[in-house]
Amino acid sequence: MPTIRDIARKSGYSVSTVSRVLNQQKYVSDAAKEAIEAVIKQLDYVPNSLARDLSFGQNKNIGVVLPHNDHPYFNQLLNGIMDAAFSSGYHIVLLPSEYNRTVERDYLEQLKRKNFTALIFTSHELPLAVLEDYTRYGQIVCCENPGQHHISAVYSNREPAYLAAFNYLKSLEVQQIGLLLSRNLAKSPTWVAVTGAYQQIFHQKPDQQLMIGGMRSFEDGYRAAEQLIARQPALNCYFTNGDDIAAGVRQYHLDHQLPVPILIGQEKQLSSLLLKMPTIDHHFFTLGQKAFELALSNQHHECAFESEFIRP
Amino acid sequence: MPTIRDIARKSGYSVSTVSRVLNQQKYVSDAAKEAIEAVIKQLDYVPNSLARDLSFGQNKNIGVVLPHNDHPYFNQLLNGIMDAAFSSGYHIVLLPSEYNRTVERDYLEQLKRKNFTALIFTSHELPLAVLEDYTRYGQIVCCENPGQHHISAVYSNREPAYLAAFNYLKSLEVQQIGLLLSRNLAKSPTWVAVTGAYQQIFHQKPDQQLMIGGMRSFEDGYRAAEQLIARQPALNCYFTNGDDIAAGVRQYHLDHQLPVPILIGQEKQLSSLLLKMPTIDHHFFTLGQKAFELALSNQHHECAFESEFIRP
DNA sequence: ATGAAAGCGCTAACAT
DNA sequence: ATGTTAGCGCTTTCAT
């Protein structure tokens, strides 16, 4: 592989002049430019990125930490990130965390080693204080409200949409509501927000027996319906964390000659459109785009969107 | 940020000794090791990856070229790749190509610049000869039968499963079959394989009017059913390129009081399990794992699997 | 077991 | 406009 020195020697110019034409800088005569470019073409030369990165002190990689990639939340967010990254010259590195703190910590250490220019946490198990601590080594963006922590963030304010959704169900005079949620943790922000909104509207806590977490797919919804119906045969209303999950619930009802239930989806997947059910749009794609934007910035930013309750 | 020289100075040892303890090499006295590690901890030092990569002549990034990420084919393949990469110390860089040759060419050039150690093409628009040409700059793995081309490859032999599927439909004495396929190109390998198998079993070409390409999702299946039923109201059998697509078709039939059709899915998504329909497992996850393995190897390998027709 | 020094290939400050 | 050279921070050969 020829190096910049080879080009310099063969063209009769110096390395700095070659470097100048490579980087399209000023102060290069047409003659020099032409001669050098000829040699470059002749020797089939391309500059070495590793050397360039070392010299520049950083590479063009943005790490994206995500626990797994089979939930629309991560898919849509990632698509937004990719979309924004596409024409930027930056690369997206996929960093699976599996909700493991040690793994997350390792990625932070890699940021310190300059393996990435910035890190986007689509979700995190580590305390925000830890993330904050690493911001001195590179930009870090998280996807939730960082509260007091000095971390760049993009997130959607979910409460209003949740309130609207429960209000809608209240107006339908439903008796019981199955709550299908994402994480299994009662302390997760989503869980808290949903139960909070529920209480505000119905003036009581949701029935623990009708709550299930860990929902990711159509299949999960199907099985959840099975479980909940066993506990409460008359159940015919579900608030779910995804359109596909709702579709699974619906399928279970259909398959077992139960009346089609009242459903609320989330993520605004196209299935909600087809099944004509209400959904909640958290604007994850847009969030992803914004997250990437913040990752490139070196200032602190917080960017809040508003989730939207959508009736068919 | 402290460098290896700082550690050397402060510990009283030389740079090379420090390097030895960093890389856990032999020939370091316990005293030296201890002293050096103390200083490392004290100064909160970590080695710089950029410098390391330059010195080593390559980084630990594997680029994965994929046209888009909303088809289970790519998702499952990617999951397999990620799974294999997870504990390897290598990173997966997502390289969206959008079926664009110029973009693909650019990724190949980046391989040449040593921006990646290897490249996996889950799909490619560029001729295989071009990919082959770039193998001198790093390992390249493609996900189809490379034929005469000297490129490492993983793929699944689809024909037997297609034959089995059509045989199954024949045994059911279906009159017409809607064919829902992936790409819109009549020359794509899949298209050729499917129509070939069809002809072998039914001794005639499939009806062009009942073929639709570009299927990616539940929604696509739903709309395709709509179109095909308009052309052929009695249609009640579909061979599809995905379980979700089949699910969409089924939904259309249900929503329009049409009898539930005979369906064959693909990709062995869980929906086929729930909907109790036959499917074809191309083992994409396994393929992905293998693709990553080959990416790390510097020899030429080809690895063929066998697709599997699965009856519920 | 330890150290000195020569790269790795490029950028950029400085000199001419 | 062009050239010289000192880094960037690490690994590795070759001495000792």
Side-chain angles (χ1 to χ4, degrees):
Chain A
M1 291 260 78
T3 75
I4 196 174
R5 254 175 263 273
D6 296 320
I7 307 300
R9 194 161 358 190
K10 188 138 189 173
S11 68
Y13 287 89
S14 74
V15 277
S16 39
T17 304
V18 176
S19 178
R20 287 195 190 93
V21 339
L22 287 175
N23 298 293
Q24 340 215 39
Q25 294 183 30
K26 277 185 71 178
Y27 306 125
V28 184
S29 68
D30 290 347
K33 191 176 171 193
E34 224 165 288
I36 290 172
E37 278 173 346
V39 177
I40 287 179
K41 183 159 289 177
Q42 189 195 335
L43 297 193
D44 194 28
Y45 166 81
V46 288
N48 181 314
S49 297
L50 303 173
R52 205 170 240 190
D53 289 346
L54 172 60
S55 192
F56 190 58
Q58 61 171 47
N59 61 17
K60 294 209 157 212
N61 294 153
I62 309 288
V64 177
V65 179
L66 62 186
H68 53 74
N69 60 15
D70 56 357
H71 189 284
Y73 166 69
F74 300 110
N75 265 320
Q76 293 179 203
L77 210 47
L78 188 58
N79 281 334
I81 292 171
M82 298 286 293
D83 180 76
F86 188 62
S87 51
S88 71
Y90 280 79
H91 284 145
I92 296 304
V93 180
L94 245 40
L95 269 16
S97 71
E98 298 177 348
Y99 294 117
N100 182 317
R101 291 183 186 210
T102 312
V103 175
E104 289 182 4
R105 170 77 74 162
D106 183 51
Y107 294 140
L108 287 169
E109 282 294 315
Q110 293 188 36
L111 177 67
K112 188 163 159 190
R113 295 164 108 106
K114 298 201 175 294
N115 226 324
F116 316 111
T117 295
L119 233 31
I120 298 174
F121 278 85
T122 65
S123 157
H124 61 96
E125 213 57 11
L126 243 28
L128 282 174
V130 176
L131 303 198
E132 185 176 3
D133 193 40
Y134 276 86
T135 53
R136 58 181 131 176
Y137 304 117
Q139 180 68 291
I140 295 183
V141 179
C142 71
C143 300
E144 74 174 53
N145 189 332
Q148 300 308 312
H149 296 280
H150 196 76
I151 304 178
S152 283
V154 296
Y155 56 91
S156 198
N157 197 346
R158 294 153 180 250
E159 188 112 349
Y162 288 159
L163 289 173
F166 285 127
N167 246 327
Y168 167 80
L169 294 182
K170 191 178 190 182
S171 75
L172 260 38
E173 296 182 358
V174 302
Q175 299 306 310
Q176 300 153 314
I177 304 177
L179 255 35
L180 309 200
L181 304 171
S182 293
R183 302 294 305 279
N184 260 314
L185 299 166
K187 36 189 167 168
S188 81
T190 314
W191 196 288
V192 172
V194 169
T195 54
Y198 185 98
Q199 286 191 52
Q200 261 190 68
I201 302 299
F202 296 104
H203 310 297
Q204 58 178 332
K205 290 195 175 180
D207 183 352
Q208 291 285 349
Q209 286 298 308
L210 298 181
M211 295 173 77
I212 300 190
M215 296 290 109
R216 297 186 186 185
S217 61
F218 182 93
E219 293 66 37
D220 291 332
Y222 195 93
R223 295 204 198 90
E226 192 166 26
Q227 282 181 49
L228 295 184
I229 287 290
R231 295 181 196 160
Q232 186 53 264
L235 187 62
N236 78 328
C237 173
Y238 301 78
F239 175 93
T240 71
N241 68 323
D243 290 356
D244 283 354
I245 286 100
V249 171
R250 183 176 187 270
Q251 189 69 50
Y252 180 85
H253 277 244
L254 290 178
D255 285 357
H256 295 78
Q257 282 76 44
L258 296 164
V260 175
I262 294 167
L263 294 166
I264 289 186
Q266 260 184 89
E267 320 307 358
K268 201 193 178 194
Q269 300 171 288
L270 283 173
S271 21
S272 64
L273 217 152
L274 283 173
L275 301 182
K276 297 186 186 64
M277 66 185 166
T279 188
I280 295 175
D281 185 359
H282 297 298
H283 307 297
F284 289 134
F285 187 87
T286 314
L287 245 52
Q289 292 178 312
K290 199 71 192 174
F292 179 80
E293 215 175 285
L294 296 197
L296 289 196
S297 150
N298 15 23
Q299 285 154 48
H300 170 90
H301 281 297
E302 288 186 29
C303 191
F305 290 74
E306 190 99 333
S307 295
E308 200 180 340
F309 178 58
I310 298 175
R311 293 172 58 169
Chain B
M1 292 258 78
T3 75
I4 197 174
R5 254 175 264 273
D6 296 321
I7 307 300
R9 195 164 359 198
K10 189 140 190 172
S11 68
Y13 286 90
S14 74
V15 179
S16 33
T17 304
V18 176
S19 177
R20 286 196 191 92
V21 340
L22 287 175
N23 298 292
Q24 339 214 40
Q25 293 182 27
K26 277 186 72 178
Y27 305 124
V28 184
S29 68
D30 289 349
K33 191 176 171 194
E34 223 165 289
I36 289 172
E37 277 172 346
V39 177
I40 286 179
K41 182 158 289 178
Q42 188 195 335
L43 298 192
D44 194 28
Y45 165 82
V46 289
N48 180 313
S49 296
L50 304 173
R52 205 169 240 192
D53 289 346
L54 172 61
S55 193
F56 189 57
Q58 61 172 45
N59 61 18
K60 295 210 156 211
N61 293 153
I62 309 289
V64 177
V65 179
L66 62 186
H68 53 74
N69 60 15
D70 54 358
H71 189 284
Y73 166 71
F74 300 110
N75 265 321
Q76 294 180 201
L77 211 47
L78 188 59
N79 281 334
I81 293 172
M82 297 287 291
D83 180 77
F86 188 62
S87 51
S88 71
Y90 280 78
H91 283 145
I92 295 304
V93 180
L94 245 41
L95 269 16
S97 71
E98 297 177 349
Y99 294 116
N100 182 317
R101 292 183 185 211
T102 312
V103 176
E104 289 183 3
R105 171 78 74 163
D106 184 53
Y107 294 140
L108 287 169
E109 282 294 316
Q110 293 188 36
L111 176 67
K112 188 162 158 189
R113 292 167 168 226
K114 299 202 174 296
N115 225 323
F116 316 111
T117 295
L119 232 31
I120 298 174
F121 278 85
T122 65
S123 156
H124 61 96
E125 215 54 15
L126 243 28
L128 282 175
V130 176
L131 303 198
E132 185 176 2
D133 193 43
Y134 276 86
T135 52
R136 57 181 134 180
Y137 304 117
Q139 180 69 292
I140 296 183
V141 180
C142 70
C143 299
E144 74 175 52
N145 189 331
Q148 300 309 313
H149 296 281
H150 196 75
I151 305 178
S152 282
V154 297
Y155 57 92
S156 199
N157 196 346
R158 295 154 180 250
E159 187 111 349
Y162 289 160
L163 289 174
F166 286 127
N167 246 325
Y168 167 80
L169 293 182
K170 191 178 190 181
S171 75
L172 260 38
E173 298 181 359
V174 302
Q175 299 305 311
Q176 299 154 314
I177 305 176
L179 255 34
L180 309 200
L181 304 170
S182 294
R183 301 294 305 280
N184 260 315
L185 298 167
K187 37 191 166 167
S188 81
T190 315
W191 196 287
V192 172
V194 169
T195 53
Y198 185 98
Q199 285 191 52
Q200 260 189 68
I201 302 299
F202 295 106
H203 310 297
Q204 57 177 328
K205 292 194 173 180
D207 182 353
Q208 291 287 349
Q209 286 298 308
L210 298 181
M211 295 173 76
I212 300 190
M215 297 289 110
R216 298 186 186 185
S217 60
F218 182 91
E219 292 66 37
D220 291 332
Y222 195 93
R223 293 204 199 90
E226 192 166 27
Q227 282 181 47
L228 295 183
I229 286 291
R231 295 182 195 159
Q232 185 53 261
L235 186 63
N236 78 327
C237 174
Y238 301 78
F239 175 93
T240 72
N241 68 322
D243 290 356
D244 283 355
I245 285 101
V249 171
R250 183 176 187 271
Q251 189 69 52
Y252 180 84
H253 276 244
L254 290 177
D255 286 358
H256 294 78
Q257 283 75 45
L258 295 165
V260 176
I262 294 167
L263 294 166
I264 289 187
Q266 260 184 89
E267 321 306 358
K268 201 193 177 194
Q269 300 170 290
L270 283 174
S271 20
S272 63
L273 217 152
L274 282 173
L275 302 182
K276 297 186 186 62
M277 66 183 164
T279 188
I280 295 175
D281 185 357
H282 297 299
H283 308 297
F284 289 134
F285 186 87
T286 313
L287 246 52
Q289 292 179 311
K290 199 71 192 174
F292 180 79
E293 216 175 284
L294 296 197
L296 289 196
S297 150
N298 15 24
Q299 284 152 50
H300 170 90
H301 281 296
E302 288 186 29
C303 192
F305 290 75
E306 190 100 333
S307 295
E308 200 179 340
F309 178 58
I310 298 175
R311 293 171 57 170

